[in-house]
Amino acid sequence: MEDTALSFVETALSALERALHERGSELRNVQLATLSPDGGPGLRTVVLRGFERAPARLEMHTDARAAKARDVAGDGRVSVLAWSADEQLQLRFDGTARLHRDDEVARGRWDALSPNGRNAYGLRSDPGRRIEDPEDRTHLPGDEQFRCFAVILLSPDSVDVLRLGPEGAQTRAIGRFVGSDLSAEWVGP
Ligand SMILES: Cc1cc2nc3c(=O)[nH]c(=O)nc-3n(C[C@H](O)[C@H](O)[C@H](O)COP(=O)(O)O)c2cc1C
């Protein structure tokens, strides 16, 4: 049995922090769920680019023309799910995200990206729109490419942590973030 729900949640957050520095870690490829303007769900994998604990904040990058960017700029309520088979650990963050495009936050992150890193954004083709040639990977010119780059910052209200143990045992706790404080309680799995 873990000491407290708080230490159980903090241990899970530490695993996520470590994952950010480990190339290929499963916890870095998270699922981002958004709400589209018609109220429907949207779900996709994104790379977790940053995680801060106090105040809690998750960072992801995308093309500003993508559906997820439109959703975040609209309703903004999102969930982010991370799962590691190695650690038998699932974390689900819920909260409100903000889109940063063509602003100081986006500029800072863009300047820090390698040329290869930048090339994930600002292709001539619009994400999700019909194209003739799937091999066409040409990019918009410099500044236009930057304006297609967007940073998603999520301020989570809560994190739901589930750890699987031997013989199907499940341990679960909910952590709540208020400002820089974190509280937690055990919940039934
Ligand atoms: C392992 C993996 C990592 C990905 N990382 C990102 C990412 O960091 N940012 C991103 O915009 N798309 C990423 N994608 C692509 C998205 O999952 C998605 O296919 C694409 O961005 C379009 O999503 P949307 O139309 O729902 O916005 C990744 C896909 C995979 C399989």
Side-chain angles (χ1 to χ4, degrees):
M1 167 86 187
E2 296 276 337
D3 284 350
T4 63
L6 185 59
S7 70
F8 175 76
V9 169
E10 281 180 331
T11 301
L13 297 179
S14 298
L16 194 62
E17 269 173 343
R18 275 198 312 279
L20 281 174
H21 307 291
E22 288 166 13
R23 235 188 140 67
S25 166
E26 293 171 298
L27 285 172
R28 285 197 69 196
N29 290 329
V30 298
Q31 272 65 57
L32 169 68
T34 57
L35 287 170
S36 71
D38 67 7
L43 181 67
R44 74 289 287 165
T45 307
V46 293
V47 177
L48 184 65
R49 306 281 173 184
F51 172 60
E52 282 168 28
R53 275 168 99 132
R57 198 171 75 173
L58 284 76
E59 175 171 337
M60 293 142 280
H61 297 172
T62 192
D63 191 295
R65 300 164 296 174
K68 66 180 93 49
R70 174 207 59 201
D71 294 352
V72 168
D75 186 294
R77 281 176 298 164
V78 304
S79 293
V80 166
L81 184 88
W83 156 249
S84 164
D86 284 348
E87 310 220 21
Q88 293 287 287
L89 176 67
Q90 173 179 274
L91 301 97
R92 184 179 62 214
F93 295 88
D94 292 312
T96 305
R98 210 176 140 190
L99 191 79
H100 292 268
R101 176 189 194 180
D102 203 6
D103 65 3
E104 258 180 49
V105 173
R107 176 56 73 185
R109 304 310 197 271
W110 182 254
D111 288 347
L113 285 177
S114 66
N116 252 353
R118 290 180 179 183
N119 280 341
Y121 317 98
L123 286 164
R124 281 194 184 277
S125 54
D126 259 5
R129 289 273 170 83
R130 186 175 186 279
I131 52 172
E132 297 305 325
D133 177 7
E135 305 283 317
D136 179 5
R137 301 202 176 90
T138 54
H139 288 86
L140 294 166
D143 221 41
E144 279 182 63
Q145 192 184 0
F146 162 65
R147 280 197 293 275
C148 286
F149 170 68
V151 177
I152 296 171
L153 293 181
L154 164 60
S155 301
D157 302 318
S158 63
V159 58
D160 182 332
V161 178
L162 179 73
R163 197 181 279 278
L164 306 186
E167 290 155 27
Q170 299 183 11
T171 312
R172 182 177 173 197
I174 308 275
R176 292 188 202 287
F177 303 100
V178 178
S180 291
D181 293 332
L182 172 65
S183 60
E185 61 189 2
W186 297 116
V187 294

